[in-house]
Amino acid sequence: MTNPNLVNTSSVFMSTNTATVTSGSDTIILSNSSGSNNIVRADTLTFCNTTATATSIDAYIVRSSTNYYVSKTVAVPEYSSMVVVDKDYPIYLEEGDTLRVASTGSTVSVVCSFTTITDV
């Protein structure tokens, strides 16, 4: 597993992933495949509860089959949004890592803005 040299990057791409998370399942919102020669920086991760019932959310990194929680059972009130990751405290995904999200509610929208950096 290698990480690119951030001083001599050859390309930087910014993008946004979106998902609707349903109760009882986790969703991969962002991944960095093994052998990609990239580092992926999660710049923002926002949850939006679009229902009239409060819900709980999880966000976690899976690295080598181990879960590392960014948030665990955090309450999002009805018709509200919660920022879990912002640009002041980004999360870097190494090769083989995934960022996953889960919810106890039936309708939670997730938006993740990220940057892919490579030196190849």
Side-chain angles (χ1 to χ4, degrees):
M1 179 183 314
T2 62
N3 286 321
N5 180 344
L6 296 180
V7 175
N8 296 314
T9 58
S10 61
S11 61
V12 177
F13 299 101
M14 292 163 276
S15 191
T16 301
N17 286 348
T18 59
T20 299
V21 181
T22 58
S23 180
S25 65
D26 68 343
T27 301
I28 296 173
I29 191 70
L30 188 59
S31 64
N32 187 7
S33 61
S34 296
S36 68
N37 291 317
N38 296 329
I39 192 160
V40 178
R41 182 180 65 215
D43 299 313
T44 63
L45 180 62
T46 305
F47 289 83
C48 181
N49 181 359
T50 60
T51 67
T53 306
T55 188
S56 296
I57 51 106
D58 297 338
Y60 56 99
I61 296 169
V62 177
R63 178 176 291 160
S64 300
S65 301
T66 302
N67 296 347
Y68 297 97
Y69 283 86
V70 177
S71 67
K72 178 72 175 153
T73 319
V74 175
V76 181
E78 60 277 355
Y79 300 118
S80 296
S81 295
M82 166 114 12
V83 176
V84 175
V85 174
D86 72 10
K87 64 179 181 145
D88 292 329
Y89 302 99
I91 294 174
Y92 291 87
L93 299 182
E94 297 177 4
E95 291 180 339
D97 289 354
T98 59
L99 178 60
R100 298 175 186 232
V101 295
S103 169
T104 61
S106 60
T107 308
V108 177
S109 296
V110 183
V111 177
C112 180
S113 295
F114 63 97
T115 304
T116 303
I117 305 164
T118 185
D119 68 352
V120 178

